[in-house]
Amino acid sequence: EHLVKSGVQTIVLESENQALWLNEVALSHQKKIDCLLRVQLDWEQGSSVLGGNEITPFGIGLDEWKDCEISSLSQLNIVGFHVFQWGNILDISQLEIIWTKIINELQILAKSLQVKLDILDLGGGLGIPYTENEKPILFSDVHKILVKLKKKYQLNKIWMELGRYIVGECGTYFTKIIDKKNSRGKDILVCEGGINHIARVALVNQAFPANSFKLSQQKTKPYQVHGPLCTALDNLGTFDLPQDIEIGDWIQFHQTGAYGFTESMPFFLCHGLAGEVVYFGGDLMIPRPPKNSFDWMI
């Protein structure tokens, strides 16, 4: 109900229940609401953190939407569909294949449901590189494909969600080394923060790129870097770092602007909370200073 009251223009519906509930709210407010139906498609290209070919809670399938009595929901104006099942893709040709499949299947669904396909929300999925051998996507190339598909399939509006692609490279996470040791032939660094601050490493088994913040002319060697948590999952990756790196030095992790602190579990085991520092236009701001457990447990 708060979405209707706040004036949100278009609402994405994830299920038949949500469609029924929204229709009831719209009736009570005597409003007609523009909606997109979120669709979960079948794929044959493996899994993704957003599902891929797996069954997920995101939307419902083609057949399930066909079984819904959409025409009976008098206050809902279905203006299109939303499909988003693949994330962090760096291959522009793969994006075109995915988007082409989405368009073909949703045009058929629109005819079956006798609803408009005025808006097609392709979600996001544009990746950013996390390793040196990966190349970034140029949005000019993305734009060419979208224009081509829009013309070919006579689409009116294409929406996209570009969160990670826009802000991912803008974030850097700094953490201090609190221990240095060798265990069973491995050089190990333990840091003040770990997956309690940047959980993506554990969730997708892919490290953020990292380097020593201290300038050094020493040769590098591989260090296995961990956070302070009492779980082996708190492994931030293995990196080539200067041999003279010491306790008290800092490591900086890059590309953390999208899936960093906001995705993490900061209160896990009562370790310190990361601060937030913003540098913009020559100004340095600290909207959220670091905190230890005493600050938020009492």
Side-chain angles (χ1 to χ4, degrees):
E1 186 167 0
H2 72 280
L3 293 177
V4 175
K5 288 182 178 180
S6 64
V8 173
Q9 295 296 306
T10 306
I11 296 175
V12 178
L13 299 173
E14 300 270 355
S15 68
E16 182 179 12
N17 284 332
Q18 289 191 1
L20 292 169
W21 297 334
L22 183 60
N23 192 66
E24 290 177 1
V25 172
L27 274 170
S28 68
H29 289 272
Q30 290 299 296
K31 287 187 176 182
K32 192 91 170 180
I33 307 296
D34 287 350
C35 304
L36 302 182
L37 306 182
R38 183 158 185 181
V39 184
Q40 189 176 150
L41 298 175
D42 293 324
W43 297 91
E44 297 178 356
Q45 298 174 323
S47 62
S48 158
V49 291
L50 290 163
N53 66 349
E54 305 214 355
I55 305 297
T56 71
F58 306 132
I60 56 177
L62 295 167
D63 292 337
E64 287 74 26
W65 278 123
K66 290 176 184 177
D67 289 339
C68 296
E69 297 292 336
I70 296 296
S71 59
S72 67
L73 304 175
S74 60
Q75 301 305 114
L76 303 188
N77 182 29
I78 309 301
V79 295
F81 301 96
H82 175 195
V83 175
F84 187 16
Q85 290 176 235
W86 296 93
N88 203 46
I89 295 173
L90 287 163
D91 184 344
I92 198 76
S93 61
Q94 187 182 5
L95 284 168
E96 183 173 3
I97 290 170
I98 290 172
W99 293 339
T100 300
K101 172 183 171 66
I102 290 171
I103 293 168
N104 281 318
E105 298 207 22
L106 294 190
Q107 284 189 327
I108 294 171
L109 179 61
K111 289 180 180 178
S112 176
L113 296 178
Q114 296 184 335
V115 300
K116 292 181 289 186
L117 181 45
D118 183 50
I119 299 169
L120 176 57
D121 188 338
L122 294 172
L126 305 189
I128 61 173
Y130 288 97
T131 62
E132 292 183 357
N133 62 337
E134 293 175 324
K135 295 182 178 179
I137 288 178
L138 297 177
F139 194 78
S140 57
D141 293 333
V142 174
H143 182 259
K144 288 177 184 176
I145 291 176
L146 293 174
V147 170
K148 171 185 169 183
L149 294 175
K150 187 177 182 182
K151 183 177 180 180
K152 179 179 179 180
Y153 292 98
Q154 298 181 329
L155 301 171
N156 187 20
K157 297 177 184 176
I158 295 177
W159 288 358
M160 296 195 72
E161 305 153 28
L162 303 178
R164 185 214 308 258
Y165 184 74
I166 296 296
V167 304
E169 67 179 1
C170 300
T172 303
Y173 171 68
F174 292 87
T175 185
K176 186 165 60 176
I177 298 168
I178 59 175
D179 201 1
K180 178 182 179 181
K181 56 188 174 181
N182 184 284
S183 178
R184 297 163 59 198
K186 291 281 187 182
D187 288 302
I188 294 174
L189 299 175
V190 181
C191 295
E192 194 172 23
I195 62 170
N196 53 326
H197 296 164
I198 49 173
R200 182 182 184 275
V201 185
L203 296 175
V204 301
N205 195 31
Q206 182 182 49
F208 289 100
N211 62 274
S212 170
F213 187 59
K214 179 180 71 175
L215 296 177
S216 173
Q217 301 300 319
Q218 292 286 318
K219 291 182 179 180
T220 63
K221 65 177 180 178
Y223 286 92
Q224 193 168 297
V225 180
H226 291 261
L229 309 182
C230 60
T231 168
L233 292 174
D234 197 8
N235 183 344
L236 301 178
T238 298
F239 308 97
D240 288 329
L241 300 170
Q243 294 183 14
D244 62 346
I245 197 166
E246 296 293 344
I247 296 170
D249 291 341
W250 292 75
I251 296 178
Q252 57 179 348
F253 293 84
H254 305 276
Q255 307 288 68
T256 64
Y259 294 105
F261 187 69
T262 56
E263 187 187 36
S264 301
M265 42 186 182
F267 297 103
F268 185 60
L269 295 180
C270 304
H271 287 272
L273 303 185
E276 182 180 45
V277 177
V278 179
Y279 181 76
F280 180 74
D283 293 325
L284 188 70
M285 299 161 277
I286 307 178
R288 187 183 65 241
K291 295 182 179 180
N292 60 41
S293 58
F294 296 104
D295 294 324
W296 50 267
M297 288 186 69
I298 56 175

